[in-house]
Amino acid sequence: MLKKILMAVLIIFVLIQFIRPEKNEAGNVLQANAIQNEFTVPSEIENIFETSCNNCHSNHTNYPWYSNIQPVAWWLDSHIKDGKKDFNMDEFLSYDQKKQDHKMEEVIEMIEKKEMPLNSYTWLHREADITDEQRAALISWAKDVRRQINYKPFTAINNPLYK
Ligand code: HEC
């Protein structure tokens, strides 16, 4: 009986290896709507995103070897899909001004509350864990981006002297 169960589990395991989610590897070149095209992302900040966030929040994921094993890949894929849907650094410029501002507000909040990077991720990827210094740098950068988003140029139209 036990042998039969083990055999069945083995067969299922082999079969599911063929059901592979599509990989998130579109953006190995700079994407048209990538945040870097409009906002300054200093290399220090870009490095933090690359090591700690972009596997789930960009169009390019660096897959570990075990991502080729099911059901691990399905589990990774669901995180990547969820993460990208909420916040994608490579699609940032496709958001309207209000949404861009809100997303940066979320970044600040997630980092302050230490909710990102996800615990389940840093548990496997120790290198993705971020220091308090890096948290502070990310927060001050996100605040700066918010200032840039909300900056209204001083034009004749809204200058009271011209009315
Ligand atoms: C392992 C994947 C993963 C990593 C790594 C990761 N995130 Fe996330 N992130 C998610 C998922 C999944 C969600 C949506 C569900 C949730 O809120 O838990 C999310 C949500 C968010 C949101 C909320 C968006 C919204 O509008 O609600 C922000 C902002 C965010 N992440 C920023 C970051 C930053 C900054 C980093 C790096 C310091 C990071 N994340 C690292 C998977 C990840």
Side-chain angles (χ1 to χ4, degrees):
M1 184 62 186
L2 185 65
K3 250 188 181 168
K4 273 193 181 147
I5 294 175
L6 284 178
M7 206 50 203
V9 169
L10 185 69
I11 290 172
I12 291 171
F13 181 75
V14 170
L15 286 178
I16 65 174
Q17 300 313 309
F18 294 97
I19 311 169
R20 292 165 174 268
E22 200 183 316
K23 289 205 166 174
N24 181 42
E25 291 176 325
N28 291 328
V29 287
L30 187 62
Q31 301 280 283
N33 285 322
I35 190 164
Q36 292 92 329
N37 293 333
E38 201 172 309
F39 299 96
T40 314
V41 185
S43 59
E44 180 201 2
I45 299 296
E46 190 155 353
N47 288 342
I48 302 175
F49 271 101
E50 278 304 315
T51 33
S52 305
C53 319
N54 281 357
N55 272 352
C56 305
H57 293 293
S58 79
N59 290 339
H60 54 281
T61 298
N62 284 322
Y63 287 92
W65 63 268
Y66 52 79
S67 70
N68 290 314
I69 303 169
Q70 318 302 340
V72 178
W74 301 341
W75 185 68
L76 295 181
D77 190 54
S78 78
H79 271 164
I80 295 167
K81 284 213 175 94
D82 281 357
K84 272 175 69 172
K85 186 174 62 151
D86 275 3
F87 172 58
N88 187 340
M89 291 282 280
D90 282 337
E91 301 296 344
F92 193 78
L93 301 184
S94 71
Y95 305 156
D96 62 27
Q97 188 182 0
K98 198 169 152 227
K99 187 167 172 187
Q100 288 182 349
D101 186 53
H102 178 63
K103 292 297 158 184
M104 280 300 135
E105 196 182 3
E106 290 279 347
V107 168
I108 296 166
E109 196 183 320
M110 291 287 160
I111 299 295
E112 273 174 351
K113 289 189 181 160
K114 301 197 174 175
E115 283 183 24
M116 288 290 148
L118 286 182
N119 281 338
S120 60
Y121 183 76
T122 48
W123 182 71
L124 272 171
H125 302 254
R126 307 289 344 164
E127 78 287 353
D129 212 353
I130 54 177
T131 64
D132 285 345
E133 240 174 25
Q134 289 175 313
R135 280 177 209 287
L138 271 179
I139 290 170
S140 101
W141 169 78
K143 284 184 177 163
D144 190 50
V145 172
R146 289 192 73 189
R147 271 192 291 274
Q148 290 177 54
I149 293 168
N150 292 308
Y151 172 76
K152 299 275 190 305
F154 189 70
T155 60
I157 295 160
N158 58 25
N159 184 342
L161 291 176
Y162 286 85
K163 284 219 170 98

